[in-house]
Amino acid sequence: MISALLKRISTTPAGIARQLSELALHADQLAESARAWAKARGDDGSAELVTWAEAVGATVRSHQRDLDSLMPWGGLIASEGVPVTATTVDGAGRPGDSLEIRFDVVPTLADLPDLSETAIRTLSIARAHLATQTEDGEHAVARFDALVEAFERSARTARLLDRRIAVLSELAQAMSNAMEFDFLLDPTRQLLSLGYRVDEGTLDSNCYDLLASEARLASFVAIAKGDVPARHWFRLGRALTPVDLGSALVSWSGSMFEYLMPSLVMRAPAGSVLDQSARLVVRRQIRYGADLGVPWGVSESAYNARDLEFTYQYSNFGVPGLGLQRGLGENIVIAPYATALGAMVDSQAAARNYRRLTAAGGRGKYGWYEALDYTPSRLPVGETVAVVRAHMAHHQGMTVVAIADALQDGKMRARFHAEPIIQATELLLQERPPRDVLVARPRADEVGAAATIRELVPPMLRRFQSPHDLVPRTHLLSNGNYAVMITSAGSGHSRWRGLAVTRWREDVTCDPWGSFIFLRDVQSGDVWSAGYQPSGAEPDSYEVVSPRIASKSSDAMGRSRRPWRSRFRRRQTPKFAACLSQTTGTRPGRSS
């Protein structure tokens, strides 16, 4: 019944009031039925049904409160049957407008006070006229008095709300004008820095340097405000990557957020490089999900890993081949808010994908969850997906605005572009795809990862309780260029592309070669090494732990990220100092 009522939306205040009353009655009946059903069954599914049934009733009552506050006369006309069709006369005794004309219009908030004042004047004339011409004049006058009082309330409420909205608008405008971008501009590179280091009094050395980035919205606003010159826009990178039969702008991580977040409020004119990139990227995201057999929509989000406080961890995820970042094919994390962003480009595909996300468990009591993690190494045993049961405000907000844009033909974008300073800067968005441009072709291993994701093998730990093995236990680390060998006693050597970085000589008896850390007790003067070698001091307990895993990850210097970890415990815990020394076969003495 509720569905049938919603298919016939009234267009007059009285009709809306009548329809809301009917909806409230049926919503209460629905909630009662749901509660009875839940009591009989007693399962979680029934409890959720009650929640949604009560939410329907709460929504209807909220609309009723709004109508009663702004247009209380609508309810009077619907319930009291005030004779609004009577023809009135003006002050000179001439026939005036029909009262029905005044009541059959849903006014805007700005027009409501004036309409109410006009209706009050018309009703006052009709009140005097009806009091002398009707047999039941006293009753008719009382009903008209009620209408006049309702219109007076309507005018007061509308004026108060209009002033409140105006104050909020002025505050938002003042906050926008107060924002400064000029100090974030790197004067040499003409790019916006990632931020300002307050403690150091300097800009962060990294900059936003790609057009396919969420930061282009800040760049556009900064130019519109006059904080940065227009040439900054043309310093943003425009490298393209092949997608289907076209080319799309390259982003850093290939996420939906980078490409489409600015489109929540900023237009991408048809045929522009931004419009072409958005359409091709959504198409690529859809195909990527189909290749993996999962719903589509990859973007930065939380994923199925938690810290010691059980807080979900957060990272950027994207589609291989669209981003410059390495390792995009190593994770399969689908964020439902990315589907909402995609709805601004392909609403039908987004609706179908939301049905898949629902079937996969991506929607809960309070809406869409943060993400669905399909990465094999993070899945519970026997499961095919791990639902990240969290809600992030900014992702929920983007979802609401994106769906509103899709349903209302970009109304939020129209509001943004109604600003004069934005209109004066719109020409920057008209940029067409260039014919001769640098093409950033994706790495072969990244593209291959689109169909098969490399599974992260959990490490197996090797533990050694003594440095006195007959044959030294070794651990090898390499990223292909830089290689390190370390023994369980703490000795070892490193090489760079076949060249010795530290001295080494094979000596299974003494095993004293390598680079070592020495600790010194500043009170007693005792000196010992962090590992058994080269000091040879016998500890109370000794343990070496090494992960047995093939690793190619490295930092900017080419150093492996997976060192051994050793624990060396002495009888006391003295104050100590540390120094680094490279030995050549001799043991250290008691130096200061």
Side-chain angles (χ1 to χ4, degrees), residues 237-557:
R238 288 158 166 77
L240 300 177
T241 183
V243 178
D244 291 342
L245 299 179
S247 296
L249 289 167
V250 171
S251 69
W252 169 244
S253 63
S255 68
M256 198 79 88
F257 175 72
E258 292 169 300
Y259 287 100
L260 295 182
M261 188 281 283
S263 295
L264 293 172
V265 296
M266 194 164 68
R267 287 172 179 156
S272 67
V273 65
L274 294 174
D275 174 66
Q276 175 177 294
S277 295
R279 296 183 182 281
L280 290 175
V281 164
V282 171
R283 194 181 306 167
R284 176 74 178 97
Q285 287 255 1
I286 294 173
R287 192 173 73 250
Y288 182 62
D291 291 342
L292 297 176
V294 300
W296 56 269
V298 184
S299 198
E300 61 178 61
S301 67
Y303 58 100
N304 190 39
R306 306 193 189 210
D307 59 15
L308 295 177
E309 297 178 348
F310 293 95
T311 302
Y312 283 113
Q313 300 302 286
Y314 192 92
S315 186
N316 48 358
F317 304 104
V319 174
L322 294 179
L324 299 175
Q325 182 179 350
R326 292 180 180 271
L328 293 177
E330 295 178 357
N331 297 277
I332 318 176
V333 181
I334 307 301
Y337 84 89
T339 298
L341 293 177
M344 296 186 293
V345 176
D346 191 339
S347 57
Q348 293 185 354
R352 291 192 296 269
N353 199 52
Y354 266 137
R355 286 193 286 271
R356 292 193 64 187
L357 289 169
T358 301
R363 194 175 71 181
K365 182 177 182 180
Y366 301 105
W368 300 105
Y369 287 121
E370 170 66 8
L372 286 79
D373 196 339
Y374 291 88
T375 310
S377 62
R378 293 195 293 267
L379 292 179
V381 177
E383 299 292 336
T384 59
V385 61
V387 179
V388 179
R389 300 179 187 276
H391 301 279
M392 292 198 172
H394 61 302
H395 292 168
Q396 297 295 322
M398 283 189 284
T399 299
V400 171
V401 175
I403 292 176
D405 274 333
L407 294 177
Q408 299 185 1
D409 197 24
K411 181 168 288 188
M412 294 302 294
R413 289 190 289 270
R415 289 168 176 162
F416 180 74
H417 283 265
E419 286 292 319
I421 62 171
I422 300 301
Q423 293 176 7
T425 319
E426 286 177 342
L427 188 60
L428 294 176
L429 304 178
Q430 296 287 348
E431 182 179 351
R432 292 297 187 262
R435 296 180 60 185
D436 300 319
V437 70
L438 174 65
V439 175
R441 295 189 177 276
R443 303 178 185 87
D445 58 338
E446 292 287 357
V447 176
T452 56
I453 298 299
R454 291 179 289 168
E455 183 173 351
L456 301 178
V457 180
M460 295 181 294
L461 298 180
R462 295 192 300 167
R463 299 179 182 272
F464 304 102
Q465 307 295 330
S466 171
H468 303 302
D469 293 297
L470 295 178
V471 177
R473 302 284 187 171
T474 61
H475 189 59
L476 298 176
L477 297 169
S478 176
N479 64 2
N481 294 314
Y482 181 69
V484 173
M485 187 275 288
I486 186 170
T487 70
S488 58
S491 64
H493 72 103
S494 60
R495 302 176 69 85
W496 172 260
R497 295 181 178 177
L499 300 177
V501 177
T502 61
R503 295 182 181 180
W504 170 257
R505 183 177 299 168
E506 185 177 351
D507 186 347
V508 296
T509 302
C510 297
D511 192 22
W513 298 81
S515 297
F516 305 97
I517 295 176
F518 292 94
L519 307 176
R520 179 173 61 85
D521 188 332
V522 296
Q523 294 179 347
S524 66
D526 291 344
V527 177
W528 68 96
S529 54
Y532 179 76
Q533 292 290 2
S535 64
E538 289 292 340
D540 294 332
S541 65
Y542 192 85
E543 182 181 38
V544 176
V545 179
S546 69
R548 191 173 184 177
I549 182 172
S551 173
K552 293 184 179 181
S553 62
S554 61
D555 61 15
M557 298 297 294

Side-chain angles (χ1 to χ4, degrees), residues 142-156:
R143 293 159 70 187
F144 270 85
D145 286 343
L147 265 180
V148 169
E149 193 275 333
F151 271 107
E152 289 173 345
R153 245 188 327 133
S154 179
R156 286 195 304 269

Side-chain angles (χ1 to χ4, degrees), residues 26-96:
H26 290 295
D28 290 341
Q29 293 174 349
L30 176 65
E32 286 296 329
S33 299
R35 283 190 285 268
W37 176 267
K39 185 176 181 181
R41 296 194 54 174
D43 55 11
D44 293 338
S46 300
E48 185 173 352
L49 178 63
V50 172
T51 299
W52 285 109
E54 291 176 345
V56 171
T59 301
V60 172
R61 285 188 289 274
S62 176
H63 286 297
Q64 282 184 309
R65 286 193 297 270
D66 290 340
L67 184 67
D68 291 341
S69 175
L70 288 169
M71 292 186 290
W73 41 270
L76 282 176
I77 295 172
S79 60
E80 297 292 335
V82 177
V84 296
T85 57
T87 300
T88 66
V89 292
D90 58 19
R94 293 187 298 269

